[in-house]
């Protein structure tokens, strides 16, 4: 202990300088949006590189699990293909009802947090691949989150297991809408809030994206109704939704790049200005 005190006394000037430098940098970053954006972008780049190297080791150790998942996915796709009435004819995209004008960017999760109240995911795709903030992220089972920030090679995602996340969703069979949130308690469940009590709901009903935003197309799977509560003092339900996804075990994901996004945003901004 005495050695520690001696070290602090000998280096008191240097330590004071470093403390004041840190405080000044923090104040500069907080008060200037340009500096803040540069720091966040640099942090994404550095942390992304570290996460990617760690992920390579984890991938090697989990090859057997990945192969098992691929076998199951191939079996599911083949089942869909063989159950088509005519597998020799490919329908034209513009002739299929409900086709969404969206591109897909395939990416990989290199870091996934799920044990805090504000969880984030890091992907190995960034602005070089056309990734931008507010793009939706899904996988073969359902929604994962929304792009928050990007660097040239990496991007961070606000997970659906984030208490600040709000996503438009609906009950598939009745089309009653609500806001999908997370109460921070269980990684396997999220909550659908503000669903009117006149809605007909049963345990096991499917919850999907509502399509009332430019982030997710309509009808992407989220989960099933587990429990139904009445929000105190209101005429609305709060629904506990069991996720299709295991948010603690994510691999490859798909980033949705909406072709109509810019047009819709410009139109909405024009209406606000008028």
């Amino acid at each position: 202990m005495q050695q520690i005190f001696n070290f602090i006394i000998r280096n008191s000037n240097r330590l004071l300088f470093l403390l004041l430098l840190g405080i000044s940098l923090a104040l500069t970053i907080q008060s200037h949006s340009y500096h803040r954006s540069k720091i966040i972008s640099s942090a994404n780049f550095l942390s992304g590189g570290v996460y990617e190297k760690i992920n390579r080791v984890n991938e090697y150790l989990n090859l057997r699990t990945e192969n098992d998942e691929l076998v199951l996915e191939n079996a599911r796709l083949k089942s869909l293909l063989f159950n088509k009435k005519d597998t020799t004819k490919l329908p034209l995209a513009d002739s299929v009802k409900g086709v969404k004008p969206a591109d897909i960017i395939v990416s990989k999760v290199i870091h996934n947090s799920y044990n805090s109240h504000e969880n984030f995911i890091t992907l190995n795709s960034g602005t070089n691949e056309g990734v931008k903030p507010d793009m939706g992220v899904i996988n073969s089972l359902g929604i994962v989150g929304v792009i928050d920030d990007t660097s040239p090679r990496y991007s961070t995602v606000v997970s659906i297991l984030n208490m600040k996340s709000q996503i438009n969703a609906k009950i598939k069979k009745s089309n009653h809408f609500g806001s999908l949130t997370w109460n921070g308690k269980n990684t396997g469940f999220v909550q659908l809030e503000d669903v009117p009590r006149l809605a007909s709901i049963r345990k096991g009903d499917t919850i999907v994206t509502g399509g009332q935003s430019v982030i997710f197309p309509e009808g992407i799977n989220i989960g099933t109704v587990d429990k139904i509560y009445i929000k105190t003092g209101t005429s609305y339900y709060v629904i506990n939704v069991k996720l299709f996804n295991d948010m603690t075990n994510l691999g490859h994901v798909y980033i949705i790049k909406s072709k109509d996004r810019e047009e819709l945003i410009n139109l909405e901004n024009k209406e606000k200005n008028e």
Side-chain angles (χ1 to χ4, degrees), residues 44 65 85 145 155-156 225 245:
N44 277 346
T65 302
K85 292 182 179 180
S155 55
T156 53
V225 174
N245 253 326

Side-chain angles (χ1 to χ4, degrees), residues 76 100 102-109 121 123 134-147 157-160 167 208-209 215-222 245 247 250-257:
R76 187 183 70 84
K100 306 298 185 299
D103 292 333
I104 296 295
I105 301 170
V106 180
S107 189
K108 185 167 59 176
V109 173
I121 299 165
L123 307 181
D134 296 329
M135 288 183 175
V137 181
I138 65 173
N139 65 6
S140 59
L141 296 177
I143 65 172
V144 172
V146 180
I147 296 292
V157 179
V158 177
S159 170
I160 56 173
I167 295 170
V208 297
T209 53
I215 296 176
F216 291 103
E218 182 180 2
I220 297 177
N221 284 334
I222 296 173
N245 253 326
M247 292 298 294
L250 298 173
H252 284 84
V253 295
Y254 309 105
I255 303 169
I256 302 172
K257 185 179 180 182

Side-chain angles (χ1 to χ4, degrees), residues 38-257:
K38 288 298 181 182
I39 289 293
I40 292 173
S41 180
S42 300
N44 277 346
F45 178 79
L46 293 173
S47 61
V50 174
Y51 291 146
E52 189 167 34
K53 287 179 173 59
I54 295 173
N55 185 69
R56 286 175 183 171
V57 176
N58 291 334
E59 278 187 335
Y60 179 77
L61 297 175
N62 294 319
L63 281 176
R64 186 165 187 171
T65 302
E66 290 280 346
N67 287 335
D68 290 342
E69 290 177 356
L70 286 173
V71 169
L72 291 173
E73 182 70 8
N74 286 335
R76 187 183 70 84
L77 292 173
K78 285 182 179 180
S79 175
L80 291 173
L81 180 65
F82 294 151
N83 280 304
K84 282 185 174 292
K85 292 182 179 180
D86 186 355
T87 59
T88 62
K89 295 181 180 179
L90 295 175
L92 297 175
D94 58 0
S95 67
V96 180
K97 184 179 180 180
V99 169
K100 306 298 185 299
D103 292 333
I104 296 295
I105 301 170
V106 180
S107 189
K108 185 167 59 176
V109 173
I110 58 175
H111 179 72
N112 178 23
S113 70
Y114 47 82
N115 53 8
S116 70
H117 285 167
E118 295 181 10
N119 294 297
F120 287 85
I121 299 165
T122 305
L123 307 181
N124 69 342
S125 301
T127 54
N128 289 345
E129 291 77 31
V131 182
K132 297 179 181 179
D134 296 329
M135 288 183 175
V137 181
I138 65 173
N139 65 6
S140 59
L141 296 177
I143 65 172
V144 172
V146 180
I147 296 292
D148 177 57
D149 201 5
T150 60
S151 66
R153 294 172 53 202
Y154 304 101
S155 55
T156 53
V157 179
V158 177
S159 170
I160 56 173
L161 301 183
N162 187 312
M163 293 183 68
K164 292 184 177 179
S165 171
Q166 285 194 336
I167 295 170
N168 177 254
K170 68 176 183 178
I171 304 164
K172 186 176 182 179
K173 72 173 186 179
S174 69
N175 284 328
H176 284 94
F177 290 89
S179 180
L180 195 75
T181 61
W182 185 53
N183 61 14
K185 295 180 179 179
N186 192 318
T187 59
F189 296 86
V190 292
Q191 289 68 47
L192 184 63
E193 299 185 343
D194 299 328
V195 177
R197 287 177 61 179
L198 56 86
S200 175
I201 312 168
R202 290 185 180 180
K203 183 175 181 178
D205 286 349
T206 301
I207 305 299
V208 297
T209 53
Q212 291 189 351
S213 73
V214 294
I215 296 176
F216 291 103
E218 182 180 2
I220 297 177
N221 284 334
I222 296 173
T224 57
V225 174
D226 179 64
K227 293 180 180 179
I228 306 166
Y229 306 92
I230 297 174
K231 194 170 183 178
T232 306
T234 71
S235 58
Y236 295 98
Y237 286 128
V238 175
I239 302 171
N240 215 37
V241 180
K242 184 177 181 181
L243 293 170
F244 288 130
N245 253 326
D246 178 2
M247 292 298 294
T248 67
N249 183 23
L250 298 173
H252 284 84
V253 295
Y254 309 105
I255 303 169
I256 302 172
K257 185 179 180 182

